[in-house]
């Protein structure tokens, strides 16, 4: 089950804005920012496309959790269609798995290889599985100085993989996909009830098939990949595994960490963030499939030091060099004006006038004209 993260973030912000008295029982951070307990959920789904025909869907939410004692939401769905081709798990059936824990640990994974039809009749039917782990937390601020909130993320290793990629196709096809991504969405509710988007973040990989026409009228077919997100440093460990047959392509990224600027809070503001891990894939079967993992949905490999929020005073802009130049130029103009004003009231036969030129060229020129015979 895929969650509309923007709508959910807005709903959460509105909820906690209306019931902020409950938040006041939670932890207080620096500068008086009050953070709520963490809500989390594990979600899995299996769907037939087009038409979004639901085969299976389940969600396990937990509300008001704390890192200690640890609380866990987890789901494992076994599909009745296809097998698990990935060595990432010893489960034999195709599956979707989600894990979310209150200490920030979690992971998602999907894996499905179908030898026949994906279901129902027709040649254009696609089977999709998705797993999603979600955390959300809200912060209320009633202090005076403007503050900035940052979220520390420890993103686990991810991989995407396609199985049974044919070297040729007789028509374009975009149905074989595998995707794993991490995302943060933030909504800020101001004291007057208006909403604003806070900081956001997205990171991951999407693998898919690409076709190029050949001279014989067919299409050369190969696996392609897109980067999700724009922070190039996070993709430094990106690599493709080459020890597979040509019809199997896997891309991987090691675990990474980053800081997400959630936004700036003024007195009376409420901020809610949603952190989501998603793994999903699609296939139309006939000996084709996929797997996608982000972290370990079975809890063996644990992610630590995740979802830590820090609060600092917001940066106050300093006077730039250009402003300093303008201030100095204005001071020079004032000095010249006052000097010229003194020249204009002096007699023309003043010893000072004759010995020292007036700093104002216009007045000095007039004085010389008056002294000429």
């Amino acid at each position: 089950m895929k969650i509309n993260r923007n709508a959910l973030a807005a709903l959460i912000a509105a909820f906690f804005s209306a019931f902020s008295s409950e938040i006041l029982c939670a932890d207080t951070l620096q500068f008086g920012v009050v953070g709520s307990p963490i809500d989390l959920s594990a979600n899995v789904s299996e769907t037939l496309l087009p038409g979004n025909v639901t085969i299976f869907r389940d969600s396990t939410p937990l509300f008001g959790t704390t890192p200690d004692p640890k609380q866990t939401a987890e789901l494992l769905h076994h599909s009745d269609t296809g097998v698990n081709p990935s060595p990432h798990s010893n489960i034999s059936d195709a599956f979707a798995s989600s894990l979310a824990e209150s200490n920030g640990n979690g992971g998602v994974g999907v894996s499905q290889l179908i030898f026949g039809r994906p279901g129902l009749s027709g040649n254009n039917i696609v089977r999709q599985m998705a797993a999603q782990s979600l955390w959300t937390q809200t912060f209320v601020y009633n202090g005076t100085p403007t503050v900035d909130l940052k979220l520390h993320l420890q993103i686990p290793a991810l991989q995407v993989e396609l199985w049974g990629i044919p070297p040729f196709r007789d028509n374009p096809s975009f149905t074989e996909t595998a995707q794993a991504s991490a995302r943060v969405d933030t909504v800020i509710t101001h004291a007057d009830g208006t909403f604003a988007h806070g900081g956001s973040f997205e990171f991951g990989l999407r693998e898919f098939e690409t076709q190029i026409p050949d001279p014989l009228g067919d299409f050369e077919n190969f696996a392609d990949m897109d980067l999700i997100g724009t922070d190039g440093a996070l993709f430094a460990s990106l690599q493709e595994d080459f020890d597979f047959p040509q019809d199997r392509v896997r891309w991987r990224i090691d675990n990474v960490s980053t800081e997400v600027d959630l936004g700036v809070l003024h007195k009376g503001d409420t901020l809610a963030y949603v952190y989501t891990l998603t793994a999903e894939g699609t296939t139309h079967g006939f000996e084709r499939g996929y797997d996608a993992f982000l972290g370990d949905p079975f809890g063996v490999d644990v992610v630590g030091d995740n979802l830590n929020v820090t609060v600092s005073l917001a940066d106050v802009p300093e006077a730039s060099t250009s402003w300093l130049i303008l201030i100095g130029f204005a001071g020079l103009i004032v000095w010249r004006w006052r000097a010229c004003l003194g020249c204009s009231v002096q007699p023309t036969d003043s010893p000072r006038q004759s010995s020292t030129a007036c700093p104002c060229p216009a007045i000095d020129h007039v004085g010389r004209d008056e002294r000429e015979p």
Side-chain angles (χ1 to χ4, degrees), residues 187-230:
V187 171
I188 299 174
T189 306
H190 299 300
D192 60 1
T194 59
F195 293 91
H197 286 287
S200 61
F201 170 82
E202 194 168 19
F203 167 75
L205 295 175
R206 179 178 183 270
E207 187 174 0
F208 55 95
E209 288 184 331
T210 293
Q211 295 83 41
I212 299 177
D214 66 10
L216 301 178
D218 292 326
F219 293 86
E220 295 184 13
N221 187 68
F222 58 93
D224 205 349
M225 182 269 296
D226 277 341
L227 304 179
I228 301 174
T230 58

Side-chain angles (χ1 to χ4, degrees), residues 5 125 166:
R5 291 172 289 264
I125 300 300

Side-chain angles (χ1 to χ4, degrees), residues 241-322:
D241 293 329
F242 292 101
D243 54 341
F244 299 136
Q246 186 177 0
D247 65 348
R248 178 184 173 190
V249 179
R250 176 199 292 167
W251 293 86
R252 296 187 291 115
I253 299 179
D254 296 337
N255 61 296
V256 296
S257 63
T258 188
E259 300 285 333
V260 180
D261 194 337
L262 298 178
V264 172
L265 296 185
H266 303 274
K267 183 175 183 179
D269 286 350
T270 299
L271 181 149
Y273 77 80
V274 179
Y275 174 55
T276 313
L277 302 180
T278 303
E280 59 184 322
T282 58
T283 179
H284 72 325
F286 299 101
E287 301 184 2
R288 298 179 181 91
Y290 59 84
D291 68 71
F293 292 91
L294 180 51
D296 185 357
F298 307 106
V300 177
D301 297 327
V302 177
V303 176
D305 191 29
N306 191 32
L307 301 183
N308 295 324
V309 174
T310 56
V311 184
S312 62
L313 291 176
D315 292 334
V316 178
E318 298 180 356
S320 65
T321 304
S322 59

Side-chain angles (χ1 to χ4, degrees), residues 45-99:
S45 67
E46 187 172 12
T47 309
L48 289 181
L49 305 173
N52 290 316
V53 179
T54 300
I55 303 300
F56 180 85
R57 177 169 294 174
D58 198 5
S59 179
T60 299
L62 291 176
F63 301 100
T65 71
T66 57
D68 188 18
K70 181 184 69 177
Q71 294 180 261
T72 301
E74 56 184 332
L75 283 173
L76 173 61
H77 165 59
H78 292 260
S79 175
D80 60 4
T81 303
V83 299
N84 165 36
S86 173
H88 205 83
S89 169
N90 58 10
I91 298 174
S92 59
D93 299 330
F95 70 87
S97 183
S98 169
L99 172 70

